[in-house]
Amino acid sequence: MYILWFLCMSFWFQTDRFEEARHRMVSEQLAKRGIKDKAVLEAMKKVPRHLLVPESQRENAYLDRPLPIGQGQTISQPYIVAMMTEEIKPTSDMKVLEIGTGSGYQAAVLAELVDQVFTIEIVPELGNKAKADLNELGYDNVNVKVGDGYEGWPSNAPFDAIIVTAAPEEIPQPLIDQLKEGGRMVIPVGPVGKTQELLLVEKKDGEIHRTKKSLVRFVPFTRSPADD
Ligand code: SAH
């Protein structure tokens, strides 16, 4: 009986501790730095980032920095996730494509905000792990595919918005084609290993408008050998 009580208490303490850290992350790293969209702030108060990063990184999950997620890849710092999410102006009726599933964290944040999320990851180990984790957390409006995101996801296009979380040297044409009229895409573009420009790409009257938003550093956008 005493052991059961102890186990319950320690579980409660752990959950509570992470929730507290998460709320602090939202107020100190996001709201204070200018993230205004209430729904984005609420979503990031909810998503258990510590359950999507590798166990060894759990304690660091709510810190103000990127984290390694295995296979040489990294998950962006929470502020960058918030900024990119806010930039697509998410609403509950939207269908969104993400390229670079990684840990599944960005996909989970989107899943709290929009109707359907499609996300593509080129590294099978990461894609499959994210799929299992998102499923376990109950995010049943996320579809994960393992493959090269360069080609987008034609059978589910067009998309209201596209978020790319790895940096190509140029915007992939298939992604431009799969963006809906009036749609928004956020994408870091630039040379491998250097600072990239985070661009907002809008499709208006069939024309493409690019706006530079900030300087960022993302992992490179890779291509599968079959597509080289
Ligand atoms: N959005 C992720 C962060 C991912 S880091 C998160 O929330 O955790 C970028 C990811 O893009 C890496 O996992 C990398 O393997 C993947 N990636 C790189 N090139 C890709 C491509 N062509 N298609 C799909 N995924 C790609």
Side-chain angles (χ1 to χ4, degrees):
M1 195 62 196
Y2 182 73
I3 288 175
L4 192 64
W5 176 84
F6 179 76
L7 285 175
C8 284
M9 284 310 281
S10 60
F11 178 73
W12 172 82
F13 177 71
Q14 291 279 329
T15 331
D16 200 52
R17 188 164 61 87
F18 284 120
E19 189 174 323
E20 204 185 296
R22 186 158 64 240
H23 284 214
R24 211 174 324 118
M25 166 194 94
V26 170
S27 58
E28 286 171 16
Q29 300 170 35
L30 312 184
K32 256 189 208 160
R33 276 193 215 144
I35 303 296
K36 289 196 177 65
D37 187 321
K38 289 229 164 60
V40 173
L41 295 172
E42 281 310 307
M44 292 187 64
K45 261 189 208 165
K46 272 199 204 158
V47 179
R49 186 170 157 101
H50 65 287
L51 297 180
L52 288 162
V53 299
E55 222 164 317
S56 59
Q57 291 296 329
R58 228 165 241 186
E59 290 301 319
N60 301 330
Y62 299 104
L63 298 182
D64 190 16
R65 57 174 161 96
L67 297 174
I69 54 171
Q71 311 291 325
Q73 304 301 325
T74 53
I75 179 176
S76 300
Q77 137 198 37
Y79 174 71
I80 299 288
V81 174
M83 199 241 287
M84 291 174 81
T85 309
E86 189 172 61
E87 211 52 78
I88 63 160
K89 298 190 192 297
T91 52
S92 57
D93 54 350
M94 279 170 50
K95 180 161 78 168
V96 178
L97 174 67
E98 180 200 18
I99 309 298
T101 316
S103 68
Y105 177 68
Q106 170 77 75
V109 171
L110 288 169
E112 294 281 352
L113 293 159
V114 305
D115 185 36
Q116 290 180 76
V117 181
F118 293 87
T119 178
I120 308 175
E121 171 55 54
I122 204 165
V123 178
E125 291 81 355
L126 292 175
N128 292 330
K129 168 110 179 35
K131 192 184 224 166
D133 288 349
L134 289 164
N135 192 35
E136 192 159 318
L137 290 170
Y139 287 111
D140 51 15
N141 57 341
V142 182
N143 301 276
V144 183
K145 179 164 98 171
V146 170
D148 184 352
Y150 186 91
E151 303 300 340
W153 200 323
S155 58
N156 288 295
F159 298 96
D160 298 291
I162 301 178
I163 290 188
V164 182
T165 66
E169 298 202 359
E170 312 255 337
I171 307 172
Q173 186 60 39
L175 300 184
I176 294 178
D177 298 341
Q178 290 171 34
L179 189 62
K180 222 181 241 178
E181 170 61 33
R184 297 164 78 81
M185 163 158 54
V186 257
I187 178 167
V189 178
V192 174
K194 297 237 169 78
T195 311
Q196 305 110 17
E197 279 175 340
L198 188 67
L199 301 181
L200 169 66
V201 179
E202 292 169 280
K203 199 184 253 187
K204 287 182 193 155
D205 302 321
E207 288 194 7
I208 295 303
H209 302 262
R210 303 159 185 232
T211 319
K212 292 175 190 166
K213 286 291 165 178
S214 56
L215 292 176
V216 287
R217 211 170 173 127
F218 275 82
V219 297
F221 193 100
T222 54
R223 304 296 315 277
S224 60
D227 298 309
D228 277 349

